Amino acid sequence: MFRSKTATVGGHTFPKDVRLRYTPRASDVENVRTLVTETGFFRPDEINIAAELVEECLKLGDESGYHFVMAQKQGNLAGYGCFGPIPCTLTSYDIYWIAVAPKFQGKGLGKCILREMERLIREMGGIRVYVETSTQPGYTSTRMFYERCGYRCEAVLDDFYGPGDGKAIYSYPTRP
């Protein structure tokens, strides 16, 4: 256990009882599925994709193109992020997933996971990060989260996910 109220990991301040790991475990397939389901944000097909990305990483390792930041608190998966290089680009990365269990939301854990992913992307030579999210009203807090973290909305594609459900594309430079 950390001795202070917070701990610095990769230059970011995390709650003292949060532990990060970067290699998914077999148990994370169901842990991610459960966590993403509990958020109440995602459709069943999206939940399956979140679990499939963990499976793909377990099978292929770095060759899968998926990298993870797993945040554990009290031995449980409290939140996680998944990112990877965008195919056919030299220095651009996508953040595919970031999710925090409802009981840990609103306490800065999501921002810490996001900042840790950005740090890892910088280390991998990434210059720009992209993230996509829905334009539905239920995702207003998600869009505001990215905007508070310095992400800029680059484009909105109307009706992308379905009628009345557009895609907002955000970007963030990993280097000043």
Side-chain angles (χ1 to χ4, degrees):
M1 276 276 215
F2 296 119
R3 292 191 179 131
S4 64
K5 213 172 187 181
T6 61
T8 301
V9 178
H12 309 294
T13 303
F14 282 81
K16 70 173 181 171
D17 52 353
V18 170
R19 299 285 184 259
L20 296 183
R21 59 185 169 81
Y22 304 96
T23 304
R25 301 172 181 157
S27 60
D28 287 324
V29 174
E30 286 309 312
N31 290 339
V32 163
R33 185 185 310 277
T34 299
L35 187 150
V36 171
T37 300
E38 287 175 351
T39 68
F41 274 87
F42 304 104
R43 298 184 317 249
D45 59 321
E46 295 172 314
I47 293 165
N48 288 335
I49 289 171
E52 287 171 10
L53 297 184
V54 177
E55 289 174 334
E56 190 76 8
C57 185
L58 289 169
K59 281 186 218 164
L60 301 175
D62 285 346
E63 295 212 9
S64 69
Y66 302 117
H67 304 276
F68 290 86
V69 173
M70 306 298 224
Q72 287 192 216
K73 187 172 172 131
Q74 301 165 349
N76 297 311
L77 186 64
Y80 88 104
C82 175
F83 67 96
I86 300 173
C88 299
T89 70
L90 299 177
T91 59
S92 295
Y93 281 71
D94 266 330
I95 291 179
Y96 299 112
W97 287 90
I98 184 167
V100 174
K103 67 181 177 181
F104 301 117
Q105 290 176 3
K107 299 176 180 158
L109 183 58
K111 184 175 182 180
C112 290
I113 293 168
L114 179 65
R115 294 301 186 217
E116 182 65 0
M117 287 190 292
E118 293 165 359
R119 182 187 73 77
L120 294 168
I121 289 168
R122 267 191 309 279
E123 284 184 2
M124 294 174 178
I127 293 175
R128 187 157 301 273
V129 178
Y130 292 91
V131 65
E132 304 166 357
T133 192
S134 172
T135 61
Q136 286 190 342
Y139 285 81
T140 299
S141 63
T142 302
R143 293 188 304 275
M144 289 176 58
F145 166 77
Y146 288 116
E147 291 169 10
R148 281 192 313 272
C149 289
Y151 283 69
R152 184 175 77 185
C153 186
E154 299 284 354
V156 174
L157 308 177
D158 294 331
D159 301 320
F160 182 85
Y161 297 110
D165 189 5
K167 172 166 68 170
I169 302 168
Y170 287 84
S171 74
Y172 182 82
T174 63
R175 302 179 195 291

